[in-house]
Amino acid sequence: NAGVTQTPKFRILKIGQSMTLQCTQDMNHNYMYWYRQDPGMGLKLIYYSVGAGITDKGEVPNGYNVSRSTTEDFPLRLELAAPSQTSVYFCASSYSGGEAFFGQGTRLTVV
Amino acid sequence: KQEVTQIPAALSVPEGENLVLNCSFTDSAIYNLQWFRQDPGKGLTSLLLIQSSQREQTSGRLNASLDKSSGRSTLYIAASQPGDSATYLCAVRPEETSGSRLTFGEGTQLTVNP
């Protein structure tokens, strides 16, 4: 049971670079989410999707973009990386409003 | 805007003790509430999901209760063990159907001492 899989696990970016964080789930969940977690803070919602082709902004969307072309995949794109984007990023999925499952996270450092 | 608060922020107990973690939320119009466990450097592991119509859920030594009208949930851990040491997070999902996003508390960091 793979569940929610995120790649890469770790990444160091230079300021101004861009990258895509990958997230895939094999549970046929319609809802998918991207959260960021900063030290000592709770999780903040970046973007979410309720189905293929549908995405919407969360609390902290600035500097990020997403797409949802398939049910399984929900990549998060960082354009022009900034030090403020140093964080741990979590992808999650659920079947509608049911139990949410999280990936193992991507630890990103922007220098 | 929904706000979720977890008290205490940190808790240290001796092995074998029964303990209670608290979660409160400001908007009682929730669809469900979920408790997670997070080990250092790891992802979130789902522990219990309580629907808004339920009063409690149990899994092994864990029992979660929900009082929707007062905006409170508790996670009861019986006979704590060192392996229970982790950060425990609660999250609520609103009743509205659009998006159905989770709002998280900041967590309670639990240390169980042998």
Side-chain angles (χ1 to χ4, degrees):
Chain A
N1 275 349
V4 179
T5 302
Q6 293 183 236
T7 56
K9 288 185 171 54
F10 304 93
R11 183 73 184 267
I12 298 175
L13 275 184
K14 293 183 178 179
I15 294 171
Q17 287 185 321
S18 59
M19 75 165 292
T20 299
L21 281 67
Q22 301 291 347
C23 175
T24 187
Q25 52 92 7
D26 63 358
M27 297 174 281
N28 202 32
H29 286 167
N30 50 348
Y31 288 7
M32 295 188 74
Y33 315 82
W34 275 105
Y35 286 87
R36 61 177 285 173
Q37 185 178 39
D38 300 309
M41 308 280 289
L43 280 80
K44 303 294 183 186
L45 182 65
I46 306 171
Y47 272 95
Y48 64 99
S49 168
V50 299
I54 306 169
T55 63
D56 208 345
K57 296 177 181 179
E59 298 174 79
V60 289
N62 292 343
Y64 307 95
N65 275 299
V66 293
S67 60
R68 183 97 181 268
S69 57
T70 67
T71 299
E72 295 79 18
D73 300 307
F74 191 41
L76 177 71
R77 177 84 176 163
L78 278 71
E79 305 282 2
L80 298 174
S84 61
Q85 293 178 305
T86 293
S87 189
V88 182
Y89 292 84
F90 289 103
C91 178
S93 72
S94 66
Y95 184 72
S96 294
E99 188 176 11
F101 296 88
F102 279 71
Q104 290 299 299
T106 294
R107 188 173 299 272
L108 175 67
T109 303
V110 181
V111 297
Chain B
K1 178 187 172 187
Q2 177 73 271
E3 292 183 0
V4 180
T5 303
Q6 291 188 246
I7 295 172
L11 181 64
S12 181
V13 300
E15 182 176 4
E17 192 162 296
N18 302 325
L19 57 100
V20 174
L21 307 181
N22 296 293
C23 172
S24 62
F25 45 95
T26 55
D27 185 349
S28 62
I30 66 167
Y31 184 71
N32 58 36
L33 182 146
Q34 194 167 353
W35 282 94
F36 295 88
R37 168 189 173 133
Q38 185 176 29
D39 294 288
K42 303 293 187 182
L44 281 69
T45 300
S46 177
L47 296 174
L48 289 164
L49 174 73
I50 311 180
Q51 300 295 344
S52 62
S53 58
Q54 297 176 314
R55 295 286 293 182
E56 64 178 62
Q57 280 284 355
T58 298
S59 176
R61 294 182 294 108
L62 305 179
N63 177 277
S65 68
L66 175 64
D67 185 341
K68 182 181 168 182
S69 60
S70 68
R72 295 186 182 190
S73 175
T74 62
L75 180 66
Y76 175 83
I77 302 177
S80 58
Q81 303 170 357
D84 294 330
S85 297
T87 297
Y88 291 81
L89 296 156
C90 72
V92 298
R93 194 187 289 276
E95 281 182 345
E96 70 207 45
T97 55
S98 61
S100 200
R101 63 187 88 175
L102 287 165
T103 300
F104 282 83
E106 294 188 4
T108 294
Q109 186 173 358
L110 173 66
T111 302
V112 181
N113 301 299

